[in-house]
């Protein structure tokens, strides 16, 4: 595996890991918060926060931050040890993701089989569905089907939703409650969030809290649905009495990627208790809810930042330790011939925004000059007798078409004179400062394609050189 591919995989796995950390930390903060919100009677805010937690498993906010750090500290540099670890971790993750994916695809096949054997319900049932749709203010017309493979009533389909009923006779009240419940699932987009939970379980299969997160999404989607339906139906006793009656007859919808009227005995008992409690409370005022939500996000962000910084330092520690072992066995550096010229004739020039020698000793760079492009650092002060030492690797070291004199790296002196060395794969040299003044570090790409130059350069004083 090439070092460029290893670098990409390290970035990908770092992104997955950091997303997993982000979601897990927010979820652990949510658990005590959910009990407080339940006591206050706010099912909607509880469910909304859970949705945000699910999204945090897929939005690599911290990876974007580390992408910026990598340009300043060469975070994603790789060694043979890191490469080996990346290959092992990648193989294990891929195997787990495939196994999880096969499990959820089997659910989808069972759902597809149930739909293939479904037939449209009677006109009377469709009329009841139309009345319920207007009660729940659902604009879209959703058809109702029956299938002998449906254990309980459920709604499925993100793009083309359908309500599936078992092939049995329901009373008018039972049918109304079933349809009101499933239509509210449609309004809440619960099928989409169930799908997101399944993807989360596949990508983050290694996360120990993933199962509980998916279970909580399931539970609170049902509670939120019950609370909203009861604003239309009103009678709590009759509503849950009907659900219990249907539950006593059949169960088992969890084999499908769907949202149903009833899941299991434990879930039903929990729903009844929570719904009854929440209906008695008024919930949190909107402004208080906003402040509460901001505080929750701030606390979560602070904790995640601390954990992420630890990951950042740990990666650098591993890279540093394994790099030392490699350097002890490395071949002695090449002696490069220093060249000089008055300036460059290239029209494409760009000043980079990276830090320059000063407070920091080593300046790590990861520059990508375009074809025929000249990149230079900002100016920095160097005194007579100092040295500017550099070590760069080029991504085109295996390209036979690239010539040794087409990739340059060096310094620009105060009078504009350029001192440089050139090579197509490994640039290592130490430039002696003969006159105090403002200097710049530069690289030049004279090839016909974009390349990568990664490494470091540093300003070494006479005292440091003597040590």
């Amino acid at each position: 595996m090439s070092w460029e591919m290893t670098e990409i995989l390290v970035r990908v796995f770092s992104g997955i890991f950091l997303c997993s950390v982000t979601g897990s930390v927010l979820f652990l903060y949510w658990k005590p918060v959910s009990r407080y919100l339940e006591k206050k009677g706010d099912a909607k805010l509880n469910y909304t926060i859970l949705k945000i937690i699910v999204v945090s498993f897929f939005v690599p906010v911290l990876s974007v931050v580390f992408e910026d750090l990598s340009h300043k500290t060469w975070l994603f540099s790789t060694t043979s040890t890191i490469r080996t670890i990346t290959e092992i971790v990648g193989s294990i993750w891929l195997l787990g993701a495939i196994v999880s994916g096969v499990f959820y695809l089997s659910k989808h096949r069972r759902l597809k089989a149930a739909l293939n054997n479904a037939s449209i319900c009677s006109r009377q049932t469709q009329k009841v569905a139309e009345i319920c749709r207007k009660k729940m203010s659902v604009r879209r017309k959703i058809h109702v089907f029956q299938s002998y493979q449906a254990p309980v009533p459920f709604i499925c389909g993100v793009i083309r939703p359908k309500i599936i009923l078992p092939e049995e006779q329901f009373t008018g009240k039972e049918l109304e409650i079933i349809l009101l419940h499933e239509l509210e699932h449609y309004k809440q987009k619960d099928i989409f969030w169930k799908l997101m939970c399944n993807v989360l379980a596949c990508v983050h299969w290694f996360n120990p809290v993933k199962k509980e997160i998916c279970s909580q999404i399931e539970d609170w989607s049902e509670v939120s649905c019950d609370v909203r339906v009861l604003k239309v139906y009103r009678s709590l006793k009759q509503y849950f009495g009907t659900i219990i009656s249907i539950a006593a007859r059949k169960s088992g919808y969890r084999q499908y990627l769907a949202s149903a009227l009833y899941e299991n005995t434990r879930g039903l008992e929990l729903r009844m208790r929570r719904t009854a409690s929440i209906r008695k409370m008024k919930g949190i005022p909107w402004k208080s809810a906003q402040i509460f939500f901001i505080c929750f996000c701030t606390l979560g962000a602070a904790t995640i930042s601390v954990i992420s910084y630890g990951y950042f330092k740990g990666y650098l520690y591993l890279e540093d330790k394994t790099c030392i072992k490699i350097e002890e066995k490395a071949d002695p550096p090449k002696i490069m011939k220093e060249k000089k010229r008055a300036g460059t004739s290239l029209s494409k020039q760009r000043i980079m925004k990276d830090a320059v020698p000063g407070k920091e000793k080593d300046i790590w760079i990861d520059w990508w000059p375009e074809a025929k492009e000249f990149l230079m650092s900002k100016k920095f002060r160097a005194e007579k007798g100092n040295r500017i030492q550099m070590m760069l690797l080029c991504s085109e070291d295996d390209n036979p078409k690239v010539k040794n004199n087409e990739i340059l790296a060096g310094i620009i002196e105060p009078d504009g004179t350029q001192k440089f060395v050139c090579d197509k794969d490994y640039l290592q040299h130490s430039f002696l400062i003969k006159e105090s003044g403002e200097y710049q570090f530069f690289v030049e790409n004279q090839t016909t394609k974009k390349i990568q130059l990664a490494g470091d350069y540093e300003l070494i004083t006479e005292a440091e050189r003597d040590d």
Side-chain angles (χ1 to χ4, degrees), residues 152-166:
V152 292
F154 62 83
I155 186 170
C156 61
V158 176
I159 299 174
R160 289 176 294 199
K162 299 180 181 69
I163 296 175
I164 310 297
L165 302 178

Side-chain angles (χ1 to χ4, degrees), residues 257-276:
L257 297 176
S259 289
L261 183 73
Y262 160 75
E263 59 284 350
N264 54 47
T265 304
R266 183 203 67 84
L268 185 54
E269 291 175 355
L270 185 65
R271 279 169 58 185
M272 292 172 64
R273 177 170 51 80
R274 283 176 172 172
T275 304

Side-chain angles (χ1 to χ4, degrees), residues 218-266:
E218 192 82 57
D219 292 342
W220 280 101
S221 70
E222 294 296 339
V223 173
S224 179
C225 184
D226 292 335
V227 171
R228 293 193 180 196
V229 171
L230 284 168
K231 290 180 179 179
V232 176
Y233 195 79
R234 302 293 180 184
S235 177
L236 176 69
K237 183 178 179 180
Q238 198 171 54
Y239 177 77
F240 277 109
T242 301
I243 294 177
I244 291 171
S245 174
I246 296 172
R249 301 199 290 263
K250 290 185 179 181
S251 64
Y253 92 97
R254 282 183 182 270
Q255 64 179 318
Y256 299 131
L257 297 176
S259 289
L261 183 73
Y262 160 75
E263 59 284 350
N264 54 47
T265 304
R266 183 203 67 84

Side-chain angles (χ1 to χ4, degrees), residues 259-380:
S259 289
L261 183 73
Y262 160 75
E263 59 284 350
N264 54 47
T265 304
R266 183 203 67 84
L268 185 54
E269 291 175 355
L270 185 65
R271 279 169 58 185
M272 292 172 64
R273 177 170 51 80
R274 283 176 172 172
T275 304
S277 174
I278 288 170
R279 288 189 78 208
K280 296 176 183 178
M281 309 301 294
K282 294 182 179 179
I284 301 176
W286 176 241
K287 288 186 178 180
S288 300
Q290 286 180 313
I291 296 171
F292 181 87
F293 181 74
I294 292 171
C295 291
F296 172 81
C297 292
T298 302
L299 183 62
T303 308
I304 292 163
S305 297
V306 172
I307 296 173
S308 303
Y309 184 72
Y311 170 81
F312 166 70
K313 297 297 289 185
Y315 188 96
L316 290 183
Y317 177 82
L318 176 63
E319 189 275 331
D320 181 60
K321 289 298 181 182
T322 54
C323 186
I324 289 174
K325 293 178 182 178
I326 293 173
E327 289 177 351
E328 289 174 352
K329 298 179 181 180
D331 296 331
K334 294 186 292 186
I335 298 174
M336 308 195 76
K337 184 178 179 181
E338 193 172 301
K339 299 180 181 180
K340 182 187 282 191
R341 67 183 180 187
T344 178
S345 59
L346 295 180
S347 58
K348 293 171 64 177
Q349 298 185 16
R350 182 155 47 105
I351 297 178
M352 307 302 289
K353 296 180 181 180
D354 301 64
V356 294
K359 293 182 180 180
E360 299 181 32
K361 182 180 177 182
D362 297 334
I363 305 300
W364 298 88
I365 65 170
D366 185 10
W367 292 357
W368 295 76
E370 301 283 350
K372 307 297 182 181
E373 187 175 32
F374 184 89
L375 306 182
M376 68 194 93
S377 71
K378 294 179 287 188
K379 291 184 178 181
F380 57 89

Side-chain angles (χ1 to χ4, degrees), residues 176-191:
E176 182 183 6
I177 288 173
I178 289 169
L179 295 174
L180 288 174
H181 185 91
E182 301 310 328
L183 287 167
E184 182 56 35
H185 275 308
Y186 167 76
K187 285 186 69 177
Q188 292 185 161
K189 310 298 181 186
D190 288 335
I191 305 302

